[in-house]
Amino acid sequence: KKSTLELLNPNQLTTETYWKTETDVQSALAATYGLLRDVNGGFWGVRGIETSNGRGDDFFIRNDVATLYQLSTFTNTPDNGPVNDMWNTCYRAIFRANQIMENVDKVSELSADAKAAYVAEAKFLRGLNYFILAINFGDAPINLKTAATKDDYFVAKSPEADVWAQAKQDFTDAAAGLPVAYDKQWVGRATRGAAIAYLGKAQLYTKDWPGAATTLAKLTTAPFNYQLMPQYGDNFVVAHENNQESVFEIQLGDVGGTDPWAGENSAQALGVTTAQEFAPAEVAGWFEVSPTDKLFNEFKKEKTVDNDFDPRMYATLIWDYPGATFYTKPFTSFKLIFGYSSMFKKYQNYTQKDEITGASGASNYTSSNNERALRYDDVLLMLAEALTMQGKPGEAYPFVKQIRDRAKLAPLTAGLTQDQMMAEIRHQRMLEFAREGQRFYDLKRWGLLKQEITNSDKVGKQFYVAGKHDYFPVPQQEMNSNPKMVQNSHW
Amino acid sequence: QQQVTVTGAVTSKDDGAPLPGVAVTIKNTNQGVATDADGKFSIRTSLGSTLVLKALGFAPQEVSVTSQKLSIVMESSKSDLNEVVVIGYGTVRKKDLTGAIANIKGADIKAQGVSDVTKSLQGRLPGVTIESAGGNPGAGTRILIRGVGTLGDAAPLYIVDGVQVPSINNLSQLDIQSIDVLKDASAAAIYGSRAANGVVLVTTRNGKSGPPVVQVNANYGIQNLAHRVDVLNAEQWANVSNAAHDAGGLTRLDIAQNPSSLGAGTDWQDVIYRTAPVQQYQILTSGGGDKGTYSISGSYTDQQGIVTVTGYKRYNFRAKSETTKGRFRFGETVLLTREKTINMAGGWGGQGGNPVGSAAKMIPVFQVYDSSALGGFAGAYGPVVNVANPLAQLHLEDINTTSSNVLTNVFGEVTIIPGLTYKLNMGYTANFTTDEDYQKRHTVGTLFTHATNDLSLTKEETQLLLLENTLNYSKTFGKSSIQALAGYTYQKTDYSYLLNARTDLPDGLRNIDAGRGTSTNQGNGLESALLSTLGRLIYSYDDRYLLTASFRRDGSSRFGAAYRYGNFPSVAAGWNISNEKFFSSLTSAIPVLKLRASYGILGNQQIDDYQYSAVISSNINYVTGQEQQKWFGAIQTAFATPNIKWESTKTSNVGVDAAFLKGRLTLTADYFVKTTSDVLLNVPIPGSTGSISDPVVNAGRLRNNGFELGLGYADHAGKLNYSVFGTFSRVKNKVLELGTGSQKIFGGQPTHHGASSTLTEAGGPISAFYLIKADGIFNSQEEIDAYAKNGALIQPNAAPGDIKFQDTNGDGQISDEDKVYAGSPFPSFEYGFGITANYQHFDLNAIFQGTHGNKIYNGLRQDLESMSLEFNYSTATLNAWTPEKHTDIPRAVTGDPNINDRTSTRFLESGSYLRMKTLQIGYTIGDPLKNKLKISSLRAYVSADNLFTITNYTGYNPDLGRTGSIFDRGVDFGHVAYPIARTLSVGLQLTL
């Protein structure tokens, strides 16, 4: 009797019944964006922030979670959990983005333009994940279709150059199809500006200086109207989310469940635990990380025209200066337990009394403070670098000037050479983007990892091996389950 | 000789109940009487003569007439061939049996002073592995029949009074009539698609015709931690910590500054462990007349855990009756159970694990209480690993499970013509479980803060409906007898789940409505159905030649339309050699000699429902908009497998049953080969596919072969009666094919962030230990420098005192590629033995059980001997390597750049053990007192469980109690363990 044994899943739609309405497509996008802030593997989730920053000469991870400590001290092995999660999460996003591209045509109520825009948005997300794979792993498998049969599960890796080419292609296509802005309801989704900025960034990372300069310059003119925020520190507080400087921003809010570790279901909190894990113990934090004194000292190198510390130092770090308050308490009530001179203030919810009591009043570990993935200040400094590297340091001045002016630094000496201008750009990038997952990758593309790690007070710097630690190994789980996979060299 | 009137009372040794219908004859005469309904008889004979007593199911007994009043206790027979064995959908005389079945009578497991039926089976059934499922009260056991036949759920099918149940852990010992374990295809194939891992049939007790019998059992015991881990006290810890920081070039921890001022500090194991009482009360009444029998029982168990706060309570009620009227027969079983378990927290984030793990890892410098802290507990502070105060975990989070179970079974049977009966059997089971998790607001040290009182309630409901129509025909013609069965059955399971949670409850209120904070709710449901036809023919010729054939066809909703049905045939033959004429001269010495052989196919469908369709997972949400609203997300996150089908197991079995020495020595031996094809398994696929989970596929072939032996010997020496039993089981498993061919499945994570420790791949055993080999210690820089490949150091981060790891593949570095096979988590054999003896009023039971040849990966030792992270360490670290003192414990160094604490053979230990499971000494009061008290029997006993264990394993318990994936077998995840208790108890067994 067929009907007796024909039981349909009462809980979930199936792929045959999905992809009927525009809402289905939008929901599929939400599920793809959501991975960017996944607590375990999302590049802007807490482990992602630790993984992207942890190897930098400006960053220390304490000896609590062994796998993270190993990453930051260059003693990690291929079975490292956070690295495995980063890899998997990128491919989950790619799998989901591919589904959108493959199924959007089934939605008959959508116009051709609307479909194109959704495909562009999916391509942006796919490109972004290939970007993350390229900077972290180099060579990686490229999947442009969802696996149809069992044989499709096993894909060999492509050379890093091909991964970059794919990321750039996706950003190019995305830029062609995405809107410049969204309605109020949809603010936070990828815009044309975001696609162009990431394309420019990919070109810069692959040393296509003219390409990067041309691409990034587009963002300085209409239809775009990006501006630096007058106060640098406003970029890192909840009150100024999605502001004029924001090019692409990871949206976080206390509007979901209460459990950040619940996995992908309704109980999952829609914020990140980063602020709580980074906060000092005195305010219910786990003090997992610390800035090194190399960063602290770099900030002190140049004072403002008012002979004060750089406002970015005040926005990024908290240390023992007169009147310093942190989480409504005088800074002197906090203990610097690692022997370093400062703590991170950037992205912390330091106007609350602690990091547990969230905006809703519920006790949870999540922060609603959006991670600003790419800002206009980055666009300006990348543009300046692309010009400088083409031997045109003079053309970089107006862009560096905007950064320096906001930081209340004196005008830059005229007539800097290419090397001098690059040194200035490097210095500015280190300060501008501390704790924002750029430093290690910047040093890598500048070829300065060995020099700058050696020349730092980073714990474990003696274990850094040039070449080897520039990339993560292919995760052991991938090695174990994919017969076509080959481990990265040195690992 | 002068004839006198001798009166006697005959009772059963099993339960002290009077035995009616016992044939009492005077030896070497034809004179005899039978006992009446009260087990009493009266006969005229001479003093000094001998009476012979015979009764079905009991060993014949000869009694000298020494007085005019006799009190005779009859013992049930161990090798009685008329003994009936329960098989699926019926019973068969043991002498007609062709399959491999292990069984045990309720009388043999009654009241051993333990709280759980299945624990008392450990070591008693050949071919049946019973492992503890953890030391926590109410945890029960995990049963494996003939090894691991699949890579998924390898639990057998449990049937209680004809109805499928998920577990038999919650039954009361006193209710058990018999437990029959169907091991081979011939015995189990009648259960078709669910029988591949064996079938456990439990029959609960029914009454006997005669006057009512009332039995009361009471037991009270105390439990203590059997084995604790040795960790450092505060001063010792500070010394090791300081040495490790110095070696790592890091500043010493503030809390370790003055070791000598710290003293012993807090012994966290003392803080959480306690001496815990366990008590158990059971009452049963049974009886019946010509037309019907009944049995009603109730029991209560209250077991506190040896970890403070934890505990378990259980209430059982059972009623069973049977009525005959004309050609109709009716009967029912009603079994109600209510259980409440108070569990400990699994972990509070951070890395301590549960309170047991935290009690081992928590630094002894920290205090237990802090009256000024919210919640009242102190905790860790400073740059140490996030380990929670275990006592705070136990008191500040209340996690309890309440479970109500209903099992009902009703049957009606009609005899159509003599020998042909139709039976309608209706079964219904329901389980209602509520999990409550209430977290009180607290601040514990600086690392654990929970600002509000939060409540989470989960309700689960599972219902199973069973309808069975069977026709039975039995007929004897000439020397032939047949027993035929045909049936049609339907079974449906419904499951639903509902979660409700709310944050921010006012202090003291524990209902969702009181909460002011965020609500969470979730719910879902599952259904599955099974539709089957079945048939069986048992043919016997002259009690010499036996043949059994059975067939079942199952249709399951768990598979896609094309693969829904499976066929499960079996055939078996038996030869009672001892009934052959040519054997007649030997029958007195060897009363039983039977050969058996069987072959058949069994199935397995233990996978989740709906695997064949690709689903859209919802509530994968994101945030969007200027107002930062929830953006509902949904998409396909994993791959479906539309083409999966039944897993099937072909089993061949040959066996022999024999009795020697006039029946005093009995033996059952079996050899089997089980080959499982189309193994259903979540096969790991590459992360680069983007799937969040691994699809279930028919992934390979496995083979298990093994040998099992059961021996029994019963005799007496003067007034000492004794019997001895022994079991021996040996199973070897091998993976013949797996997944992609080169598929490797890793498992067995031993620590919170640790690497895998086991590997399953074609050509090897299931879940073998596969580890980087630790190869001693580098005693000098020269040794490190000499360990090089092409001029480059193999371990560049090493310093003297670090571990040398074997570069197995010779690539000049240490990586996962250097792993080697290091042993198996499966024993080369396991065994049990025991002795039962009585001498006058005293009796003794002693049962031993053990395994040999298996390895255990000690995960907790990996944490405690690491000296890399900031938690407490094992006392072994006091003996760490220093330049002056070369030892085999590596140097103390924070950060551990050489990763001495990596998952390696360093933490693999022998898991062989021999445990005294039970020692019990009883005293049964004599007749004068018995008569004065007007009772049938009264026995008092003292009992000890887990009195001692002989093992080299250093963890809590070599009988690990880790449930979950087969790939975790043999891995001691001490992080979330619950250690085993040693129990001493006293009890009374009264029969009115």
Side-chain angles (χ1 to χ4, degrees), chain A residues 11 13 62-64 99 143 187 251 286 335 476 478, chain B residues 254 351 384 386 447 525 616 625 628 636 688 868-869:
Chain A
N11 309 305
L13 296 171
R62 81 171 166 109
N63 196 1
D64 176 22
Q99 286 181 55
N143 294 332
V187 165
Q251 307 296 313
W286 288 355
K335 193 155 187 221
Q476 194 62 41
E478 177 77 23
Chain B
D254 276 357
Q351 304 194 52
V384 299
N386 301 0
L447 295 165
I616 301 294
Q628 298 279 279
Q636 179 187 350
S688 59
S868 164
L869 297 176

PDB file of all heavy atoms in Angstrom, chain A residues 11 13 62-64 99 143 187 251 286 335 476 478, chain B residues 254 351 384 386 447 525 616 625 628 636 688 868-869:
ATOM      1  N   ASN A  11       8.171  19.079   8.437  1.00  0.00           N
ATOM      2  CA  ASN A  11       8.862  20.218   9.040  1.00  0.00           C
ATOM      3  C   ASN A  11       9.461  21.188   8.049  1.00  0.00           C
ATOM      4  O   ASN A  11       9.634  22.349   8.345  1.00  0.00           O
ATOM      5  CB  ASN A  11       9.998  19.716   9.935  1.00  0.00           C
ATOM      6  CG  ASN A  11       9.514  18.680  10.904  1.00  0.00           C
ATOM      7  OD1 ASN A  11       8.588  18.924  11.642  1.00  0.00           O
ATOM      8  ND2 ASN A  11      10.125  17.505  10.870  1.00  0.00           N
ATOM      9  N   LEU A  13      10.300  22.547   3.894  1.00  0.00           N
ATOM     10  CA  LEU A  13      10.031  22.529   2.464  1.00  0.00           C
ATOM     11  C   LEU A  13      11.114  21.710   1.787  1.00  0.00           C
ATOM     12  O   LEU A  13      12.209  21.552   2.311  1.00  0.00           O
ATOM     13  CB  LEU A  13      10.075  23.960   1.918  1.00  0.00           C
ATOM     14  CG  LEU A  13       9.016  24.909   2.450  1.00  0.00           C
ATOM     15  CD1 LEU A  13       9.320  26.323   1.986  1.00  0.00           C
ATOM     16  CD2 LEU A  13       7.647  24.468   1.968  1.00  0.00           C
ATOM     17  N   ARG A  62      45.575  34.881  23.928  1.00  0.00           N
ATOM     18  CA  ARG A  62      46.054  34.245  25.154  1.00  0.00           C
ATOM     19  C   ARG A  62      45.895  32.723  25.094  1.00  0.00           C
ATOM     20  O   ARG A  62      45.204  32.173  24.248  1.00  0.00           O
ATOM     21  CB  ARG A  62      45.350  34.822  26.378  1.00  0.00           C
ATOM     22  CG  ARG A  62      43.980  34.266  26.676  1.00  0.00           C
ATOM     23  CD  ARG A  62      43.530  34.774  28.037  1.00  0.00           C
ATOM     24  NE  ARG A  62      42.115  34.564  28.239  1.00  0.00           N
ATOM     25  CZ  ARG A  62      41.623  33.672  29.094  1.00  0.00           C
ATOM     26  NH1 ARG A  62      42.428  32.905  29.800  1.00  0.00           N
ATOM     27  NH2 ARG A  62      40.323  33.541  29.251  1.00  0.00           N
ATOM     28  N   ASN A  63      46.535  32.124  26.054  1.00  0.00           N
ATOM     29  CA  ASN A  63      46.663  30.677  26.121  1.00  0.00           C
ATOM     30  C   ASN A  63      45.434  30.050  26.775  1.00  0.00           C
ATOM     31  O   ASN A  63      45.518  29.390  27.791  1.00  0.00           O
ATOM     32  CB  ASN A  63      47.922  30.371  26.948  1.00  0.00           C
ATOM     33  CG  ASN A  63      48.373  28.955  26.773  1.00  0.00           C
ATOM     34  OD1 ASN A  63      47.766  28.201  26.035  1.00  0.00           O
ATOM     35  ND2 ASN A  63      49.427  28.599  27.464  1.00  0.00           N
ATOM     36  N   ASP A  64      44.274  30.281  26.168  1.00  0.00           N
ATOM     37  CA  ASP A  64      43.043  29.696  26.706  1.00  0.00           C
ATOM     38  C   ASP A  64      42.576  28.617  25.743  1.00  0.00           C
ATOM     39  O   ASP A  64      42.575  27.429  26.071  1.00  0.00           O
ATOM     40  CB  ASP A  64      41.992  30.800  26.869  1.00  0.00           C
ATOM     41  CG  ASP A  64      40.652  30.263  27.334  1.00  0.00           C
ATOM     42  OD1 ASP A  64      40.628  29.165  27.913  1.00  0.00           O
ATOM     43  OD2 ASP A  64      39.634  30.934  27.127  1.00  0.00           O
ATOM     44  N   GLN A  99      23.421  28.083  -5.469  1.00  0.00           N
ATOM     45  CA  GLN A  99      21.997  27.705  -5.538  1.00  0.00           C
ATOM     46  C   GLN A  99      21.136  28.873  -6.015  1.00  0.00           C
ATOM     47  O   GLN A  99      20.198  28.691  -6.786  1.00  0.00           O
ATOM     48  CB  GLN A  99      21.495  27.274  -4.158  1.00  0.00           C
ATOM     49  CG  GLN A  99      21.955  25.924  -3.707  1.00  0.00           C
ATOM     50  CD  GLN A  99      21.353  25.611  -2.328  1.00  0.00           C
ATOM     51  OE1 GLN A  99      20.161  25.660  -2.134  1.00  0.00           O
ATOM     52  NE2 GLN A  99      22.216  25.305  -1.382  1.00  0.00           N
ATOM     53  N   ASN A 143      34.301  25.993  -7.070  1.00  0.00           N
ATOM     54  CA  ASN A 143      33.007  25.393  -7.382  1.00  0.00           C
ATOM     55  C   ASN A 143      32.088  26.475  -7.922  1.00  0.00           C
ATOM     56  O   ASN A 143      31.766  27.419  -7.217  1.00  0.00           O
ATOM     57  CB  ASN A 143      32.337  24.819  -6.124  1.00  0.00           C
ATOM     58  CG  ASN A 143      33.110  23.655  -5.544  1.00  0.00           C
ATOM     59  OD1 ASN A 143      33.802  22.943  -6.266  1.00  0.00           O
ATOM     60  ND2 ASN A 143      33.012  23.471  -4.233  1.00  0.00           N
ATOM     61  N   VAL A 187      18.927  48.295   3.740  1.00  0.00           N
ATOM     62  CA  VAL A 187      20.285  48.818   3.935  1.00  0.00           C
ATOM     63  C   VAL A 187      21.158  47.744   4.580  1.00  0.00           C
ATOM     64  O   VAL A 187      20.722  47.056   5.500  1.00  0.00           O
ATOM     65  CB  VAL A 187      20.240  50.078   4.830  1.00  0.00           C
ATOM     66  CG1 VAL A 187      21.628  50.430   5.349  1.00  0.00           C
ATOM     67  CG2 VAL A 187      19.654  51.237   4.045  1.00  0.00           C
ATOM     68  N   GLN A 251      25.998  43.009   9.161  1.00  0.00           N
ATOM     69  CA  GLN A 251      24.872  43.478   9.965  1.00  0.00           C
ATOM     70  C   GLN A 251      24.663  42.566  11.175  1.00  0.00           C
ATOM     71  O   GLN A 251      24.483  41.358  11.033  1.00  0.00           O
ATOM     72  CB  GLN A 251      23.600  43.501   9.108  1.00  0.00           C
ATOM     73  CG  GLN A 251      23.750  44.278   7.806  1.00  0.00           C
ATOM     74  CD  GLN A 251      24.022  45.753   8.027  1.00  0.00           C
ATOM     75  OE1 GLN A 251      23.338  46.388   8.828  1.00  0.00           O
ATOM     76  NE2 GLN A 251      25.036  46.299   7.355  1.00  0.00           N
ATOM     77  N   TRP A 286      36.167  37.675  28.509  1.00  0.00           N
ATOM     78  CA  TRP A 286      37.106  36.557  28.590  1.00  0.00           C
ATOM     79  C   TRP A 286      38.524  36.953  28.165  1.00  0.00           C
ATOM     80  O   TRP A 286      39.367  36.071  27.990  1.00  0.00           O
ATOM     81  CB  TRP A 286      36.597  35.378  27.739  1.00  0.00           C
ATOM     82  CG  TRP A 286      35.405  34.698  28.340  1.00  0.00           C
ATOM     83  CD1 TRP A 286      34.835  34.955  29.547  1.00  0.00           C
ATOM     84  CD2 TRP A 286      34.623  33.645  27.744  1.00  0.00           C
ATOM     85  NE1 TRP A 286      33.756  34.111  29.746  1.00  0.00           N
ATOM     86  CE2 TRP A 286      33.606  33.307  28.672  1.00  0.00           C
ATOM     87  CE3 TRP A 286      34.698  32.970  26.528  1.00  0.00           C
ATOM     88  CZ2 TRP A 286      32.661  32.310  28.403  1.00  0.00           C
ATOM     89  CZ3 TRP A 286      33.760  31.979  26.268  1.00  0.00           C
ATOM     90  CH2 TRP A 286      32.742  31.652  27.203  1.00  0.00           C
ATOM     91  N   LYS A 335      42.926  45.584  35.195  1.00  0.00           N
ATOM     92  CA  LYS A 335      44.290  45.088  35.322  1.00  0.00           C
ATOM     93  C   LYS A 335      44.813  44.651  33.964  1.00  0.00           C
ATOM     94  O   LYS A 335      44.140  43.902  33.244  1.00  0.00           O
ATOM     95  CB  LYS A 335      44.272  43.884  36.274  1.00  0.00           C
ATOM     96  CG  LYS A 335      45.649  43.517  36.711  1.00  0.00           C
ATOM     97  CD  LYS A 335      45.672  42.800  38.049  1.00  0.00           C
ATOM     98  CE  LYS A 335      47.127  42.640  38.465  1.00  0.00           C
ATOM     99  NZ  LYS A 335      47.459  41.371  39.042  1.00  0.00           N
ATOM    100  N   GLN A 476      42.851  19.456   7.693  1.00  0.00           N
ATOM    101  CA  GLN A 476      43.025  18.003   7.684  1.00  0.00           C
ATOM    102  C   GLN A 476      41.736  17.284   7.309  1.00  0.00           C
ATOM    103  O   GLN A 476      41.760  16.276   6.618  1.00  0.00           O
ATOM    104  CB  GLN A 476      43.510  17.532   9.060  1.00  0.00           C
ATOM    105  CG  GLN A 476      44.048  16.113   9.080  1.00  0.00           C
ATOM    106  CD  GLN A 476      45.270  15.956   8.189  1.00  0.00           C
ATOM    107  OE1 GLN A 476      46.135  16.831   8.153  1.00  0.00           O
ATOM    108  NE2 GLN A 476      45.334  14.865   7.436  1.00  0.00           N
ATOM    109  N   GLU A 478      39.491  18.190   5.238  1.00  0.00           N
ATOM    110  CA  GLU A 478      39.368  18.231   3.776  1.00  0.00           C
ATOM    111  C   GLU A 478      40.338  17.216   3.164  1.00  0.00           C
ATOM    112  O   GLU A 478      39.984  16.469   2.248  1.00  0.00           O
ATOM    113  CB  GLU A 478      39.673  19.641   3.260  1.00  0.00           C
ATOM    114  CG  GLU A 478      39.635  19.791   1.746  1.00  0.00           C
ATOM    115  CD  GLU A 478      38.209  19.864   1.175  1.00  0.00           C
ATOM    116  OE1 GLU A 478      37.291  20.230   1.933  1.00  0.00           O
ATOM    117  OE2 GLU A 478      38.037  19.541  -0.014  1.00  0.00           O
TER     118      GLU A 478
ATOM    119  N   ASP B 254      50.161  35.659  38.485  1.00  0.00           N
ATOM    120  CA  ASP B 254      50.070  36.310  39.792  1.00  0.00           C
ATOM    121  C   ASP B 254      49.693  35.325  40.896  1.00  0.00           C
ATOM    122  O   ASP B 254      50.258  35.349  41.983  1.00  0.00           O
ATOM    123  CB  ASP B 254      48.994  37.409  39.756  1.00  0.00           C
ATOM    124  CG  ASP B 254      49.561  38.706  39.200  1.00  0.00           C
ATOM    125  OD1 ASP B 254      50.786  38.732  38.910  1.00  0.00           O
ATOM    126  OD2 ASP B 254      48.779  39.665  39.042  1.00  0.00           O
ATOM    127  N   GLN B 351      36.213  25.878  28.989  1.00  0.00           N
ATOM    128  CA  GLN B 351      36.844  24.632  28.597  1.00  0.00           C
ATOM    129  C   GLN B 351      36.941  23.603  29.682  1.00  0.00           C
ATOM    130  O   GLN B 351      37.697  22.657  29.572  1.00  0.00           O
ATOM    131  CB  GLN B 351      38.251  24.943  28.090  1.00  0.00           C
ATOM    132  CG  GLN B 351      38.189  25.921  26.985  1.00  0.00           C
ATOM    133  CD  GLN B 351      39.484  25.975  26.274  1.00  0.00           C
ATOM    134  OE1 GLN B 351      40.001  24.957  25.868  1.00  0.00           O
ATOM    135  NE2 GLN B 351      40.012  27.157  26.127  1.00  0.00           N
ATOM    136  N   VAL B 384      43.793  32.640  33.068  1.00  0.00           N
ATOM    137  CA  VAL B 384      43.800  31.189  33.114  1.00  0.00           C
ATOM    138  C   VAL B 384      42.729  30.674  32.172  1.00  0.00           C
ATOM    139  O   VAL B 384      41.866  31.423  31.742  1.00  0.00           O
ATOM    140  CB  VAL B 384      43.529  30.671  34.545  1.00  0.00           C
ATOM    141  CG1 VAL B 384      44.615  31.147  35.498  1.00  0.00           C
ATOM    142  CG2 VAL B 384      42.167  31.131  35.031  1.00  0.00           C
ATOM    143  N   ASN B 386      39.420  29.134  30.829  1.00  0.00           N
ATOM    144  CA  ASN B 386      38.053  29.279  31.332  1.00  0.00           C
ATOM    145  C   ASN B 386      37.508  27.950  31.841  1.00  0.00           C
ATOM    146  O   ASN B 386      36.929  27.191  31.093  1.00  0.00           O
ATOM    147  CB  ASN B 386      37.136  29.795  30.236  1.00  0.00           C
ATOM    148  CG  ASN B 386      37.583  31.131  29.691  1.00  0.00           C
ATOM    149  OD1 ASN B 386      38.585  31.691  30.128  1.00  0.00           O
ATOM    150  ND2 ASN B 386      36.844  31.634  28.737  1.00  0.00           N
ATOM    151  N   LEU B 447      35.093  34.879  35.043  1.00  0.00           N
ATOM    152  CA  LEU B 447      34.913  34.345  33.699  1.00  0.00           C
ATOM    153  C   LEU B 447      33.491  33.914  33.386  1.00  0.00           C
ATOM    154  O   LEU B 447      33.126  33.784  32.236  1.00  0.00           O
ATOM    155  CB  LEU B 447      35.852  33.158  33.505  1.00  0.00           C
ATOM    156  CG  LEU B 447      37.330  33.543  33.548  1.00  0.00           C
ATOM    157  CD1 LEU B 447      38.187  32.314  33.725  1.00  0.00           C
ATOM    158  CD2 LEU B 447      37.715  34.278  32.293  1.00  0.00           C
ATOM    159  N   GLY B 525       8.205  17.689  14.065  1.00  0.00           N
ATOM    160  CA  GLY B 525       7.623  16.362  14.220  1.00  0.00           C
ATOM    161  C   GLY B 525       8.195  15.388  13.203  1.00  0.00           C
ATOM    162  O   GLY B 525       8.762  15.796  12.192  1.00  0.00           O
ATOM    163  N   ILE B 616      14.807  22.327   2.534  1.00  0.00           N
ATOM    164  CA  ILE B 616      15.189  23.721   2.740  1.00  0.00           C
ATOM    165  C   ILE B 616      15.211  23.955   4.245  1.00  0.00           C
ATOM    166  O   ILE B 616      14.201  23.794   4.928  1.00  0.00           O
ATOM    167  CB  ILE B 616      14.143  24.650   2.083  1.00  0.00           C
ATOM    168  CG1 ILE B 616      14.027  24.374   0.579  1.00  0.00           C
ATOM    169  CG2 ILE B 616      14.463  26.101   2.366  1.00  0.00           C
ATOM    170  CD1 ILE B 616      15.254  24.703  -0.222  1.00  0.00           C
ATOM    171  N   GLY B 625      18.574  46.335   7.137  1.00  0.00           N
ATOM    172  CA  GLY B 625      17.812  47.571   7.196  1.00  0.00           C
ATOM    173  C   GLY B 625      18.340  48.579   8.182  1.00  0.00           C
ATOM    174  O   GLY B 625      19.086  48.257   9.104  1.00  0.00           O
ATOM    175  N   GLN B 628      17.640  47.664  11.513  1.00  0.00           N
ATOM    176  CA  GLN B 628      18.297  46.418  11.953  1.00  0.00           C
ATOM    177  C   GLN B 628      17.271  45.366  12.370  1.00  0.00           C
ATOM    178  O   GLN B 628      17.183  44.959  13.528  1.00  0.00           O
ATOM    179  CB  GLN B 628      19.281  46.695  13.092  1.00  0.00           C
ATOM    180  CG  GLN B 628      20.404  47.620  12.670  1.00  0.00           C
ATOM    181  CD  GLN B 628      21.521  46.909  11.919  1.00  0.00           C
ATOM    182  OE1 GLN B 628      22.379  46.296  12.492  1.00  0.00           O
ATOM    183  NE2 GLN B 628      21.492  46.994  10.584  1.00  0.00           N
ATOM    184  N   GLN B 636      18.786  25.341   1.054  1.00  0.00           N
ATOM    185  CA  GLN B 636      19.270  23.950   1.182  1.00  0.00           C
ATOM    186  C   GLN B 636      20.697  24.006   1.725  1.00  0.00           C
ATOM    187  O   GLN B 636      21.563  24.658   1.158  1.00  0.00           O
ATOM    188  CB  GLN B 636      19.248  23.269  -0.190  1.00  0.00           C
ATOM    189  CG  GLN B 636      19.745  21.841  -0.151  1.00  0.00           C
ATOM    190  CD  GLN B 636      19.872  21.216  -1.543  1.00  0.00           C
ATOM    191  OE1 GLN B 636      19.421  21.791  -2.527  1.00  0.00           O
ATOM    192  NE2 GLN B 636      20.489  20.054  -1.602  1.00  0.00           N
ATOM    193  N   SER B 688      34.697  21.342   1.141  1.00  0.00           N
ATOM    194  CA  SER B 688      34.624  22.194  -0.041  1.00  0.00           C
ATOM    195  C   SER B 688      33.360  21.959  -0.864  1.00  0.00           C
ATOM    196  O   SER B 688      33.098  22.686  -1.809  1.00  0.00           O
ATOM    197  CB  SER B 688      35.867  22.004  -0.919  1.00  0.00           C
ATOM    198  OG  SER B 688      35.985  20.658  -1.312  1.00  0.00           O
ATOM    199  N   SER B 868      50.606  22.902  29.394  1.00  0.00           N
ATOM    200  CA  SER B 868      50.688  23.965  28.405  1.00  0.00           C
ATOM    201  C   SER B 868      49.673  25.039  28.700  1.00  0.00           C
ATOM    202  O   SER B 868      49.929  26.225  28.573  1.00  0.00           O
ATOM    203  CB  SER B 868      50.425  23.374  27.020  1.00  0.00           C
ATOM    204  OG  SER B 868      50.141  24.402  26.114  1.00  0.00           O
ATOM    205  N   LEU B 869      48.500  24.615  29.100  1.00  0.00           N
ATOM    206  CA  LEU B 869      47.419  25.556  29.355  1.00  0.00           C
ATOM    207  C   LEU B 869      47.305  25.796  30.853  1.00  0.00           C
ATOM    208  O   LEU B 869      47.790  25.019  31.668  1.00  0.00           O
ATOM    209  CB  LEU B 869      46.110  24.995  28.789  1.00  0.00           C
ATOM    210  CG  LEU B 869      46.094  24.800  27.271  1.00  0.00           C
ATOM    211  CD1 LEU B 869      44.813  24.160  26.825  1.00  0.00           C
ATOM    212  CD2 LEU B 869      46.311  26.110  26.546  1.00  0.00           C
TER     213      LEU B 869
END
